């Protein structure tokens, strides 16, 4: 309505000295309204635990309100929570990546970062708890039973020797392994094994019984 009145005034008398000031005041008023709308939208989406939508509002208005400290602070916080939720979701969707020590480190950092903001998001609270439990599972050694014939020398490649045994229980973290069995005069046998949380008690037979 104010804009319409200003246009009418400009059409009646373009030289009216007050027009520039009125234009500036109107532009500022429109920007203030847009700022208030954007802030309210971010807050409403955040309160509803809809951080992706809140992030969209923040991203869409980031440039326009780049000089508004309050907006930038809110947008940065929204972005942080959104990124934590997105990163947690990706990690929870690919649990086997946690067999890598580098991914375990990232998961631990993510859990620590989420602890400071989880009170603002029920989704992040659930994700953090699930990720913490999953990391615990993937960093807890499993008891694995190795079966052989006392003649085959068994080792776990890149891990260590089991020896020439009939049966032996060893501990291994969840991961992908190759059990190798050697016996003089026999073909070396290699047994690839994928160990995952819950595999404690798994029995693995490694017997070199094919003569050369």
């Amino acid at each position: 309505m104010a804009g319409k009145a200003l246009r009418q005034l400009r059409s009646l008398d373009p030289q009216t000295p007050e027009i520039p000031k009125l234009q500036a005041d109107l532009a500022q008023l429109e920007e203030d309204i847009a700022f208030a709308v954007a802030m309210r939208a971010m807050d409403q989406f955040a309160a509803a635990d809809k951080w992706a939508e809140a992030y969209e509002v923040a991203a869409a208005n980031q440039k326009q309100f780049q000089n508004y400290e309050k907006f930038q602070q809110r947008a940065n916080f929204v972005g942080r929570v959104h990124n934590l939720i997105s990163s947690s979701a990706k990690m929870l969707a690919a649990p086997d990546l946690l067999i890598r020590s580098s991914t375990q480190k990232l998961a631990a950092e993510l859990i620590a970062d989420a602890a400071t903001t989880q009170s603002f998001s029920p989704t992040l609270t659930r994700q953090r708890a699930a990720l913490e439990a999953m990391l615990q599972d993937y960093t807890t050694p499993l008891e694995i039973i190795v079966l052989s014939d006392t003649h085959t020398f068994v080792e776990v490649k890149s891990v260590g020797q089991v020896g020439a045994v009939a049966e032996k229980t060893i501990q291994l973290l969840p991961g992908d392994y190759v059990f190798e069995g050697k016996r003089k005069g026999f073909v070396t046998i290699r047994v690839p094994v994928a160990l995952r949380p819950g595999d404690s008690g798994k029995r693995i037979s490694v017997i070199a019984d094919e003569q050369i």
Side-chain angles (χ1 to χ4, degrees):
M1 196 166 199
K4 183 179 179 181
L6 182 59
R7 287 192 295 273
Q8 288 177 338
L9 176 60
R10 190 185 297 114
S11 66
L12 291 172
D13 185 2
Q15 302 304 317
T16 302
E18 291 82 9
I19 287 180
K21 184 178 185 308
L22 289 172
Q23 285 178 320
D25 289 346
L26 180 59
Q28 185 60 56
L29 176 61
E30 290 175 342
E31 186 169 298
D32 289 345
I33 291 173
F35 168 75
V37 169
M39 290 291 288
R40 179 164 182 168
M42 279 196 296
D43 289 346
Q44 287 179 332
F45 281 131
D49 203 27
K50 296 181 177 181
W51 293 92
E53 290 86 345
Y55 179 72
E56 288 179 6
V57 173
N61 293 277
Q62 191 91 32
K63 186 175 181 180
Q64 182 179 358
F65 301 123
Q66 59 184 337
N67 295 322
Y68 285 64
E69 184 178 356
K70 186 176 181 180
F71 179 88
Q72 295 301 322
Q73 289 176 343
R74 192 72 52 83
N76 289 340
F77 181 76
V78 166
R80 183 183 175 199
V81 176
H82 171 65
N83 287 336
L84 285 169
I85 290 173
S86 298
S87 298
S88 297
K90 289 177 182 178
M91 196 163 286
L92 288 168
D96 279 359
L97 292 178
L98 283 171
I99 64 175
R100 305 173 187 166
S101 59
S102 58
T103 307
Q104 292 172 7
K105 182 180 178 181
L106 289 175
E109 291 172 352
L110 193 56
I111 290 167
D113 288 344
T116 63
T117 54
Q118 65 175 356
S119 61
F120 295 92
S121 169
T123 295
L124 187 57
T125 299
R126 290 191 297 271
Q127 286 179 325
R128 182 178 181 273
L131 188 55
E132 200 167 27
M134 195 166 75
L135 180 60
Q136 179 66 34
D137 287 343
Y138 275 82
T139 54
T140 299
L142 307 167
E143 291 199 342
I144 305 301
I145 303 169
V146 181
L147 303 173
S148 192
D149 58 1
T150 72
H151 302 296
T152 301
F153 188 86
V154 181
E155 70 173 313
V156 184
K157 297 297 289 183
S158 302
V159 177
Q161 299 177 346
V162 179
V165 298
E167 180 177 315
K168 185 175 181 179
T169 299
I170 63 174
Q171 288 194 335
L172 291 171
L173 288 169
D176 297 327
Y177 300 92
V178 175
F179 286 71
E180 185 176 83
K182 293 181 178 181
R183 181 181 177 185
K184 189 175 181 179
F186 289 77
V187 176
T188 296
I189 184 172
R190 293 179 178 85
V191 182
V193 178
L195 298 177
R196 296 297 182 264
D199 279 346
S200 267
K202 188 169 186 175
R203 301 166 74 85
I204 299 170
S205 179
V206 186
I207 299 174
D209 55 4
E210 182 184 348
Q211 288 188 318
I212 296 175

